[in-house]
Amino acid sequence: MVVKEYDSPCGLLYMASIGGELCLCSWQGLSACYGIFEEADKPSGAAGASDYRSEWDVLEKAVNELDEYFAGERKKFDIPLRLYGTDFQNRVWSELLKIPYGQTMSYSTVARIIGAPRAVRAVANACARNPLSIFVPCHRVVSRIGKLTGYAGGLEAKRMLLDIERGVAIPEVEAG
């Protein structure tokens, strides 16, 4: 596993790759890597053959795709992803990948689509545990009435991501 920081316009992200796939893009700091390490060490989560150069290549591609995304030039990510989670979490995250760029969906709608209409809180919890923020667009999930609610990167980051997808210009941040 290789880990890299990415200073996005919305805040610092920690990214990691394993087995030639991106497995982490997190607002949570390096502590988020520990869970990935534990999952990767399990027999069912075996990472497979990997080398340092290929891991860096994955992270560099992820950085390039994020740069394009934040510039408003990328609407779909091509980076290979590796998701570590429960079956339920993976069902939720798979559904999030289907939410079109610039659109939102409610937690209750996600719950209904995955066949668990009473599991709205569990869907919200799966979104909160999403290890691949932005790439698996949990920022596109909102309350039933369209209100922005919980996001690991904070509500301002969620608002900025949705604004980018709606074509709203993000102000330049001055170095200082």
Side-chain angles (χ1 to χ4, degrees):
M1 177 185 284
V2 176
V3 179
K4 179 179 182 67
E5 291 182 353
Y6 177 78
D7 194 11
S8 83
C10 301
L12 190 62
L13 289 162
Y14 294 87
M15 299 190 308
S17 64
I18 194 165
E21 298 167 311
L22 188 68
C23 62
L24 183 73
C25 184
S26 174
W27 308 97
Q28 304 296 317
L30 291 177
S31 63
C33 294
Y34 298 125
I36 300 295
F37 279 127
E38 290 172 4
E39 289 298 317
D41 284 341
K42 292 180 182 176
S44 63
S50 179
D51 67 78
Y52 186 75
R53 182 70 249 159
S54 69
E55 299 306 334
W56 272 112
D57 289 346
V58 168
L59 292 179
E60 288 305 315
K61 182 175 182 183
V63 164
N64 290 336
E65 289 191 8
L66 284 173
D67 286 345
E68 292 169 357
Y69 171 84
F70 283 111
E73 300 165 358
R74 177 173 288 275
K75 295 182 179 179
K76 184 178 184 315
F77 295 107
D78 298 320
I79 196 86
L81 305 176
R82 180 176 297 214
L83 290 161
Y84 292 104
T86 66
D87 289 341
F88 182 83
Q89 288 170 333
N90 281 302
R91 283 181 25 221
V92 170
W93 299 333
S94 292
E95 194 56 44
L96 300 184
L97 289 167
K98 298 174 188 174
I99 303 173
Y101 180 91
Q103 295 183 27
T104 59
M105 184 179 288
S106 70
Y107 295 98
S108 56
T109 300
V110 173
R112 183 177 41 75
I113 290 171
I114 66 166
R118 296 175 153 238
V120 176
R121 286 188 183 176
V123 166
N125 190 38
C127 289
R129 295 194 187 320
N130 173 12
L132 286 160
S133 288
I134 304 174
F135 292 94
V136 176
C138 56
H139 62 277
R140 296 179 189 156
V141 184
V142 297
S143 77
R144 186 176 39 85
I145 59 171
K147 183 179 175 187
L148 298 186
T149 57
Y151 187 64
L155 290 183
E156 189 55 35
K158 186 171 189 170
R159 184 178 341 282
M160 286 179 74
L161 295 171
L162 292 172
D163 284 349
I164 287 167
E165 294 184 13
R166 291 178 181 138
V168 177
I170 302 299
E172 289 288 323
V173 177
E174 290 185 31

